[in-house]
Structure formats: C-alpha cells, structure tokens
C-alpha cells in the first residue's frame, strides 16, 4: 500500500480533571501508548507524530514509536485551544520541514478502545470519495427527541414536548462524535462544518466508545477495556481448541 498519510496525536500536559491524563497508566501502559501502537500497527502512515508541550509526554511518545519533531508552543497549550488549531500548527511545521502527504488523521491520545479496522475503513472511504473528511461516530443510546433539561427551580422541561408520547422506534436515530479519529484531505478548505455534508461517518459500536474526561470516565473505560480483552482471549482459546 502506498503511504500518503500522516497521523497527528495532540497531547498537552496540562489536563486538570485527571492530572497527567495522557501518560497516566491504563492497564499497565501510558494511555497515549494505545493510540500510538494502533496507528503504527495499521501501517497506514508515513509517520505518527505527537504534538505536545510536555517533555514527559514527548519522552514516552518516542518510547512507543511516535516521532516528536517539534514541541508545541505555549500559546497552543491552554484550556481554550482547540485540537483543530493544534493540528493546523503541526501540519504547517511538518510541511515547512519538507514533509508531503495527501491525508492527515488526527487520533486522540485518549482512545484505548481504538480498533484498527475502523481506522482503515475511514481511510478507504475517504480516499474513494469526494468527501473532505471521515471520522468516528456512534449511535446515541437514547432518542434525543425525548430528552429534557432540569430547570433552575429543579423541575423538568422537555426540549421537544410533542415527542413525549412517541415510541422510541418511531423516532429517527441520532449519532454523536466518538472522539477517536478524524481523517482529512490535506490542503482542502472546508465549505461546511465537520459534522456536515462534506464528512463521512464511520460508525463504531457503542461498546468501543468512551470519553475519558473525568475519573468516573476513566474507571468505566478500564472496565470496558478489560471486558474486551477477555472476549478476545476467549475467542482465541475457542479457535485454538478447534485446530
């Protein structure tokens, strides 16, 4: 396969709710190691680059096979900087260094449940289309049309009261960003928002999706990962028994 793609993993050092989140041990390995290893194992990329402002993250990223050809400037390492701005900065720096690539894949450092199959699917579908982007999504676990908010006086208020008596199966299914990977064509300007007509959704099963923003999220992700690993081990044992 001709490699014409590069992976960029944004990983800043100043996480607040989970200190040093990106390098905190997750089932015995730094969290960022999972994203790096899956990106390398996919064999889709010329390079796997980590953009970070933190020397400890840079050291660990290199240990697991990623490249850190530059450090992220402080102005792109605060709580208000978007991952899009970080990726744009990394792309410019790489191009200034003489790197050429047709596709860029942003992979979050907090994706231990990332499955190479879907990473490859995103690349193939984008490459064989006229879309600008392909990214990971998953279905909502509950119909958004029947959701409600809690008001300032502690009561309930539906966003769409007309849907209260409608059956779940009669409501259109909704999807959300899975927060794992985002394939883009390099150098192509967006005409629509990322969750719009220029994007291809790569649908992941919900058991492979978990945000990791809080300690509770972290615990849930570890439990999900443990169950998945047990399932993989059981399948291998069954296959070995057949042979």
């Amino acid at each position: 396969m001709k490699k014409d793609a590069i992976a960029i993993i944004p990983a800043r050092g100043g996480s607040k709710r989970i200190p040093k989140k990106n390098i905190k041990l997750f089932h015995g390995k730094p969290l960022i190691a999972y994203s790096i290893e899956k990106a390398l194992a996919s064999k889709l990329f010329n390079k796997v680059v980590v953009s970070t402002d933190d020397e400890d993250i840079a050291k660990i990223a290199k240990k697991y096979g990623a490249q850190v050809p530059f450090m992220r400037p402080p102005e792109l390492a605060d709580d208000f900087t978007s991952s899009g701005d970080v990726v744009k900065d990394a792309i410019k720096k790489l191009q200034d260094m003489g790197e050429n690539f047709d596709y860029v894949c942003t992979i979050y450092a907090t994706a231990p449940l990332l499955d190479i199959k879907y990473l490859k699917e995103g690349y193939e579908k984008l490459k064989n289309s006229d879309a600008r982007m392909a990214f990971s999504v998953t279905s909502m676990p509950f119909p958004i049309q029947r959701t409600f908010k809690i008001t300032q006086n502690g009561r309930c208020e539906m966003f769409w009261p007309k849907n209260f008596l409608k059956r779940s199966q009669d409501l259109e299914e909704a999807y959300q960003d899975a927060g794992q990977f985002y394939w883009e064509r390099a150098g192509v300007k967006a005409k629509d928002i990322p969750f719009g007509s220029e994007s291809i959704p790569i649908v992941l099963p919900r058991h492979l999706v978990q945000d990791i923003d809080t300690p509770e999220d972290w615990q849930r992700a570890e439990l999900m990962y443990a169950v998945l690993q047990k399932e993989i081990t059981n399948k291998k044992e069954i296959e070995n028994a057949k042979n």
Side-chain angles (χ1 to χ4, degrees):
M1 179 188 297
K2 177 181 176 292
K3 295 180 181 178
D4 53 1
I6 196 160
I8 298 175
I9 302 176
R12 75 184 184 97
S15 54
K16 300 291 193 301
R17 287 176 288 185
I18 305 176
K20 295 189 176 294
K21 175 174 68 173
N22 291 320
I23 54 175
K24 179 179 168 69
L25 293 184
F26 182 97
H27 280 278
K29 281 194 299 191
L31 184 61
I32 194 174
Y34 294 89
S35 296
I36 294 170
E37 289 178 338
K38 290 293 177 65
L40 292 170
S42 74
K43 301 189 182 303
L44 291 169
F45 305 106
N46 300 64
K47 290 183 178 180
V48 176
V49 174
V50 169
S51 169
T52 186
D53 61 312
D54 187 281
E55 293 289 350
D56 290 335
I57 292 176
K59 182 178 179 180
I60 288 173
K62 292 174 184 177
K63 176 183 176 181
Y64 283 91
Q67 297 186 34
V68 188
F70 47 80
M71 296 298 288
R72 191 193 306 183
E75 61 268 23
L76 290 179
D78 59 29
D79 293 336
F80 303 100
T81 302
S82 70
S83 58
D85 290 335
V86 171
V87 172
K88 286 178 184 176
D89 172 74
I91 290 173
K92 185 179 185 306
K93 283 184 168 65
L94 289 167
Q95 290 174 334
D96 289 345
M97 295 166 62
E99 296 286 348
N100 295 304
F101 40 87
D102 297 320
Y103 301 93
V104 178
C105 186
T106 302
I107 302 176
Y108 280 174
T110 53
L113 303 178
L114 178 64
D115 189 317
I116 293 174
K117 175 176 72 173
Y118 297 104
L119 197 60
K120 289 182 175 179
E121 181 184 340
Y123 174 69
E124 292 297 331
K125 286 189 173 180
L126 181 60
K127 185 175 66 171
N128 295 309
S129 75
D130 62 354
R132 186 186 68 84
M133 185 178 187
F135 70 104
S136 56
V137 309
T138 195
S139 60
M140 298 291 288
F142 183 83
I144 61 170
Q145 299 89 341
R146 297 190 68 232
T147 54
F148 58 88
K149 63 182 178 181
I150 298 176
T151 63
Q152 290 185 345
N153 63 353
R155 302 300 175 89
C156 298
E157 182 181 322
M158 285 194 73
F159 289 104
W160 300 281
K162 64 181 181 180
N163 293 321
F164 177 72
L165 295 177
K166 291 184 179 180
R167 302 184 307 167
S168 297
Q169 57 265 45
D170 294 331
L171 297 171
E172 189 173 6
E173 190 161 27
Y175 296 83
Q176 64 181 7
D177 180 7
Q180 290 191 0
F181 61 84
Y182 307 81
W183 281 100
E184 297 179 78
R185 293 186 189 275
V188 178
K189 291 186 177 180
K191 298 177 182 178
D192 198 356
I193 59 173
F195 300 168
S197 59
E198 294 182 300
S199 297
I200 298 172
I202 306 302
V203 182
L204 277 55
R206 289 202 294 268
H207 69 267
L208 291 181
V209 178
Q210 176 60 48
D211 284 339
I212 304 180
D213 294 322
T214 67
E216 182 181 5
D217 292 342
W218 183 284
Q219 183 178 24
R220 181 179 175 84
E222 284 198 313
L223 291 171
M224 292 169 69
Y225 183 85
V227 171
L228 285 169
Q229 293 308 302
K230 184 176 181 180
E231 183 178 329
I232 291 171
T233 299
N234 289 342
K235 285 182 179 179
K236 287 181 179 178
E237 290 177 350
I238 291 172
E239 288 300 317
N240 290 337
K242 287 181 180 178
N243 297 330

